[in-house]
Amino acid sequence: MPELETLPEVKAALPPDEPEFQQKEMLLNIGPAHPAMHGIIRIQTKLEGELVVESDVEIGYLHRAFEKSCEESTWNQAIIYTDRLNYVSAPINNIGYCLAVEKLLGIELPPRGQYIRTLLCEIARISDHLTCVGASAMELGGFTVFLYMIKGREYLWELIEEYCGARVTTMTSRVGGMPYDLPEGWLDKCTWVVKEIREILNECDILLTNNRIFVERMENIGVMSAERAIAWGWTGPCLRGSGVAYDVRKDFPYLVYDQLDWEVPIGRRGDNLDRYLVRMEEMEQSCRIIEQCVAKIPGGPVNCDNKKVVLPDKKDTYGNIEGLMNHFKLIMYGHGIRVPEGEVYFPVEGGNGELGYYIVSHPDEHSKDGCNDRAWRVRCRPPCLPMVAGLHEMINNYMIADIVPTFGSVNMIGGELDR
Amino acid sequence: MSKFPEHIAIEKANPTAVLDWHERFGDRTLIVEAKQIVEVVRTLKDAFGYDMLVDLTCVDYLPRRPRFEMVYHFLNVESKARLRVKAQLEESHARVASLMEFYPIADWFEREVWDLFGIKFEGHTNLKRIMLYEEFEGHPLRKDYPKTKRQPLMGPQN
Amino acid sequence: MSELIQSPTMDMTRSLSSNVMTTRFDKLLGWARKYSLFQYPFVTACCGMEFMSTACSHYDLDRFGAAFPRFSPRQADVIWVVGTISHKIAPVLKTIYEQMADPKWVVSFGACASCGGPYDNYATVQGIDTIIPVDVYIAGCPPRPEAVLDGLLKLQELIQNQKHEWK
Ligand code: SF4
């Protein structure tokens, strides 16, 4: 950058003893309530002209005490708080949490339950990626793409709504099972939705991938090398965009992912464009997973056969005394699901990367059997915190306008960032 | 059940570092001396390629002693090996060495633990609150902090 | 417009009555204001997803004359407080509210903004009405898009019927 020099006219106008008028750096504060910051986050930047030379990211504006709340609610009650972590793909959070508790209990769902979970996870993943890509395209001026993608997300959410009755905060899962079996005709609708999504992806691909404005603002902007990405603890589409093929679904398979045929896309350069392309391809892969699940889903029960964990059928609760007592035992304060002492870490692949739950069960002073009906500690390993922590490396030494696409490609979700 | 290779290597370098180990639920876990965490992590990173610090957190086991337990999860991205390392801390000496020099991400994770649990990290260059605001007193995830004790910056107390 | 038309005065000529209508200036102002709401979405959390859905083509907030988001509080008429307000962000919300020019309205979107919702803990403000005045509350966690549209209609009704300062 050339040195800024005071013009001779200005110099002449200055009083002789005034120090030379030189202004090189400027501080600019972006956020916390800024339209391009999805959610609330604050970036303080030091600019030289339009170049960002230094930046500092501040988070915590949406801290809602997720971990404390989970400690004070029973195992099943805590699921509502997991909904609100990554609110664009709530089913993944629910299911990840339930899988972790189930690991602690040593139980596993029957195949139909596992297939339903896989289906819901993939639906949620597509909706997450659609929102991310759509929003960042909108910020670059592609409003049409945003409208198309939200239309696609609407179809997916209607599907989820048909299953569980809610659109965003879904509560799709319980410890030891699923709350409902699939409604009639749901699978057919699923196939139709996948077809629609493919069409939308196609359209958006045409609109964006060869669009010169879009590509030039994305390519070679916000570059992150693979080593640095690993050092910063990145996972998910952002890490894969940097060329590391790490996907929890492939490397630590859970549910039925190892029985299905799908691939992990990776990028090469680690720039915004690669992250965008990885997300687009992942949606296609998720469509494939959904199609295979629809074709392969077996019949049978959706809950595991363990009366100490799973609520009895309503028919039994109202119909006979054993069912009623079973229901009461699981619902009553101080009884509930008794989870033995222990600790587990269970990672699943969330929309933004590895979503891990570290759950500790530890008897409190009232416990007589060494078990507890609520968690001692629920720690959520937030997938997007590492990306935001490393954000300054991606925006320093780029133009100020590049913050917008770079930040969009990180897909920060306030709920899981600040918990 | 036999000792993991990591365990053997750490023991060779620092005979007193590892206190205990287990493999419950398939999660390989080492419990190490808190004062030697830096040496342990150096061995893990250099000799075993644990290049990602997946998670760093703390658990408060009030009224047990020692009260706090630091929990680190490591991942080797190449070989997909996972390892959990735990270190116990007394309340009177709630401080542990920072891992910032090995993993940059430890910066934010440690700030979070400082904010919510009040564990001090020695060698951390920027240890300030991350989730809450500077005016906040106390550390809310400690078991003796009441869940609804509010400290608003403005507006009524409750 | 029919609600604005009052019966013409008796001695008006026929041609005049078909070209002129009388109404209170206040009402006219209310009518104009309610259909040109510039909104400032103060989006913090999950409710924002439903706000997005409502604003997009499926539910289309545009139909009600309120589709124009202005991301500068100084140009906005109505601030939607969408999502959880923590104690850390509360001063920011207050500042933004104070920056808005009169006349201004506040919509509290969702359970969290209205009363703290599921978060009764050390970090969350128990309802934004402890900080700024609120005109319309929309219930739900998050409210369905239909509920949002209903809330908007309620706000428009309120604007139509309120007294307007115009001097
Ligand atoms: S009301 Fe519910 S959906 Fe809305 S911000 Fe609060 S928790 Fe999220």
Side-chain angles (χ1 to χ4, degrees), chain A residues 135-150:
Chain A
S136 46
M138 173 179 71
E139 280 151 11
L140 298 184
F143 199 73
T144 323
V145 176
F146 180 66
L147 291 178
Y148 284 179
M149 291 206 157
I150 297 295

Side-chain angles (χ1 to χ4, degrees), chain A residues 62 64 80-81 83-84 87 168-169, chain C residues 44-50 82-85 109-114 116-119 124 138-143:
Chain A
L62 192 56
R64 308 189 274 193
I80 78 140
Y81 294 111
D83 273 336
R84 289 152 181 80
Y87 32 73
V168 181
T169 47
Chain C
T44 64
C46 3
C47 276
M49 296 300 118
E50 279 301 32
V82 182
T84 321
I85 302 299
F109 187 113
C112 277
S114 305
Y119 295 101
T124 339
I138 304 177
C141 178

Side-chain angles (χ1 to χ4, degrees), chain A residues 32-33 35 39-40 58-66 68-69 80-81 84 87-88 131 135 146-147 150-151 153-155 157-158 161 165 167-169 414, chain C residues 40 42-50 52-53 55-59 71 83-86 88-89 92 96 112 118-124 141-142 144-145:
Chain A
I40 30 183
E58 189 180 342
I59 64 166
Y61 293 101
L62 192 56
H63 181 63
R64 308 189 274 193
F66 161 75
K68 190 88 176 173
S69 308
I80 78 140
Y81 294 111
R84 289 152 181 80
Y87 32 73
V88 197
T131 313
F146 180 66
L147 291 178
I150 297 295
K151 181 180 84 181
R153 192 179 79 169
E154 215 53 51
Y155 291 139
W157 282 4
E158 274 163 20
E161 186 186 4
R167 291 155 49 88
V168 181
T169 47
Chain C
Y40 178 91
F42 188 80
V43 175
T44 64
C46 3
C47 276
M49 296 300 118
E50 279 301 32
M52 235 183 203
S53 299
C56 282
S57 41
H58 249 63
Y59 293 95
F71 284 105
T84 321
I85 302 299
S86 69
K88 192 170 177 178
I89 196 81
V92 179
I96 288 180
C112 277
Y119 295 101
D120 179 11
N121 56 38
Y122 61 86
T124 339
C141 178
R144 294 187 53 87

Side-chain angles (χ1 to χ4, degrees), chain A residues 352 381-389 410-414 416-417:
Chain A
N352 279 334
R381 190 257 174 200
C384 73
L385 186 129
M387 269 87 91
V388 179
V410 160
N411 193 18
M412 181 212 103
I413 304 282
E416 72 179 11
L417 178 72

